[in-house]
C-alpha cells in the first residue's frame, strides 16, 4: 500500500470521526435545549387552578417550540404553601400559584388585599389587578425577593363554614369560635377582630381537623369548600364574603433572569390568559354552588355583611397588620 493511499484513508477516517462527533454534539445540543421546569400549587386536580396551570404549561411548551417543558405538581405534592414559596429561593420550584398572603411573608404590603372587606366584589378585585397600586406592590415584592409576579387569579369570596352546633349568623357568633385559617398572618385580621380563636392548619390537614373537632369552623370560597369536601363535615355555610381572595402566579427569580425579553412577554401573556380563564370559571361556579349546597342539606346562612364589616373595622385597621394606609385608601377608591 503506497503512502498516498494510506494518507487518503486516514483523511477519510478522520472525516468520519469528525462527522460522528458533530452529530453526537448536535444531538446533545438538541437534548440540552429543552428546559424542564416545575410548577407547584396546593389545589386539587379537579379545580380550575390546576386545569389552567396545565393549560398554561402546554401553551408555553407550544409557543416556545418545545424549549420549555413544564410539569405541574398539584395538591401539595411538592410541599405545603410555605414550602413551595421557599422552593423558589432554593431552586427546587420554578413557578408557583400562591396566595398573596404567603408571598406577603417576604413583602408585607402585598398582603393588603387580605384585609377584611377591602374589596366589594370580584369585579373590584379584577380592576385592582390592572391598577397602578397592584403594579407598585408587585414591583415591591419583585425587588425584595427577586421573584416575579406575572398574574393575579381570582380565587373567590371566602365564607365561614361551621359545625352543626356553632352556626354563625351575626358578628357576635364568632366570639370564642375555634376557626382554622391558613398559616399566614394576613388571614388573622378577620377572626381576631371578632374575638374568634384563629388556628393555623395546613391546607392538606383541614378536612381531618374539621372531622375530628380539632376546630369548629374554617373559611374558604364555595368552590374550595366543594373541591375539598368541607361541606361533608360542616353543616353550616355562612355567606360572610369577608375576604375576596386571589392567587398570584409567581416565576422564580432564577428562571425569570434566564428568560429573554420575548420569552418574558410570552410567559406573562400565557399566565395572564390562564388567570382570566380561571377567574371566569370560579365566578360561574360561585353562582351555582349556593343552591347545590342547599340540595345537599347544608344550612346556608345569609348574613348582614355590613354588620360584619362594621364590627371588624371597629376593632382593627390596616396599619395594625403592617399594611400601608395609603394603599388601603387607593384600593377602596377603585371604581
Amino acid at each position: 500500500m503506497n503512502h498516498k493511499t494510506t494518507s487518503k484513508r486516514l483523511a477519510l477516517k478522520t472525516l468520519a470521526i469528525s462527522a460522528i462527533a458533530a452529530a453526537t454534539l448536535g444531538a446533545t445540543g438538541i437534548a440540552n435545549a429543552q428546559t424542564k421546569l416545575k410548577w407547584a400549587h396546593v389545589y386539587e386536580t379537579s379545580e380550575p387552578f390546576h386545569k389552567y396551570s396545565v393549560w398554561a404549561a402546554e401553551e408555553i411548551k407550544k409557543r416556545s417550540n418545545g424549549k420549555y417543558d413544564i410539569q405541574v405538581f398539584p395538591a401539595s405534592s411538592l410541599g405545603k404553601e410555605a414550602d413551595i414559596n421557599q422552593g423558589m429561593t432554593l431552586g427546587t420550584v420554578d413557578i408557583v400559584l400562591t396566595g398573596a398572603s404567603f408571598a406577603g411573608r417576604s413583602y408585607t404590603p402585598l398582603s393588603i388585599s387580605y384585609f377584611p372587606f377591602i374589596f366589594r366584589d370580584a369585579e373590584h378585585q379584577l380592576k385592582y389587578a390592572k391598577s397602578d397600586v397592584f403594579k407598585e406592590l408587585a414591583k415591591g415584592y419583585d425587588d425584595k425577593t427577586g421573584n416575579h409576579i406575572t398574574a393575579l387569579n381570582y380565587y373567590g369570596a371566602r365564607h365561614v363554614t361551621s359545625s352543626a352546633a356553632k352556626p354563625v349568623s351575626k358578628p357576635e357568633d364568632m366570639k370564642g369560635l375555634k376557626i382554622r385559617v391558613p398559616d399566614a398572618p394576613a388571614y388573622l385580621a378577620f377572626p381576631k377582630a371578632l374575638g374568634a380563636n384563629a388556628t393555623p392548619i395546613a391546607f392538606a390537614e383541614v378536612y381531618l381537623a374539621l372531622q375530628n373537632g380539632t376546630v369548629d369552623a374554617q373559611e374558604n370560597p364555595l368552590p374550595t369548600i366543594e373541591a375539598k369536601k368541607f361541606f361533608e363535615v360542616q353543616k353550616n355555610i355562612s355567606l360572610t364574603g369577608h375576604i375576596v381572595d386571589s392567587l398570584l402566579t409567581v416565576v422564580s427569580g432564577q428562571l425569570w433572569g434566564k428568560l429573554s425579553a420575548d420569552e418574558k412577554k410570552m410567559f406573562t401573556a400565557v399566565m395572564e390568559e390562564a388567570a382570566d380563564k380561571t377567574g371566569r370559571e370560579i365566578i360561574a361556579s360561585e353562582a351555582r354552588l349556593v343552591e347545590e349546597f342547599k340540595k345537599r342539606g347544608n344550612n346556608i346562612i345569609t348574613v348582614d355583611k355590613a354588620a360584619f364589616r362594621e364590627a371588624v373595622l371597629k376593632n382593627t385597621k390596616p396599619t395594625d397588620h403592617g399594611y400601608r394606609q395609603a394603599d388601603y385608601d387607593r384600593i377602596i377608591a377603585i371604581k
Side-chain angles (χ1 to χ4, degrees), residues 236-281:
N236 301 301
I237 301 175
S238 303
L239 302 177
T240 51
H242 51 280
I243 293 172
V244 177
D245 207 345
S246 61
L247 297 179
L248 301 172
T249 311
V250 187
V251 177
S252 76
Q254 292 178 49
L255 171 58
W256 192 251
K258 291 174 187 170
L259 299 179
S260 69
D262 283 344
E263 286 172 340
K264 285 176 180 175
K265 278 184 194 169
M266 183 268 286
F267 268 64
T268 301
V270 169
M271 289 168 174
E272 284 180 345
E273 191 176 341
D276 181 61
K277 289 173 185 289
T278 299
R280 283 204 303 257
E281 195 160 310

Side-chain angles (χ1 to χ4, degrees), residues 18-55:
S18 298
I20 291 165
T24 306
L25 193 63
T28 307
I30 291 163
N32 288 343
Q34 188 177 72
T35 303
K36 291 190 178 296
L37 302 173
K38 292 179 180 177
W39 180 323
H41 64 75
V42 299
Y43 304 98
E44 300 300 313
T45 53
S46 60
E47 295 185 80
F49 314 113
H50 180 68
K51 175 177 162 183
Y52 291 111
S53 295
V54 170
W55 174 86

Side-chain angles (χ1 to χ4, degrees), residues 39 90 113 291 301 332:
W39 180 323
L90 298 174
S113 60
E291 289 309 312
I301 303 169
I332 288 286

Side-chain angles (χ1 to χ4, degrees), residues 113-129:
S113 60
Y114 286 75
F115 192 77
F117 303 104
I118 191 169
F119 294 117
R120 296 180 296 277
D121 49 29
E123 189 184 344
H124 184 190
Q125 189 204 70
L126 293 172
K127 285 178 180 174
Y128 160 72

Side-chain angles (χ1 to χ4, degrees), residues 72-90:
V72 180
F73 294 85
S76 306
S77 51
L78 287 188
K80 298 171 185 173
E81 198 151 2
D83 300 328
I84 62 173
N85 274 271
Q86 191 182 18
M88 286 189 291
T89 304
L90 298 174

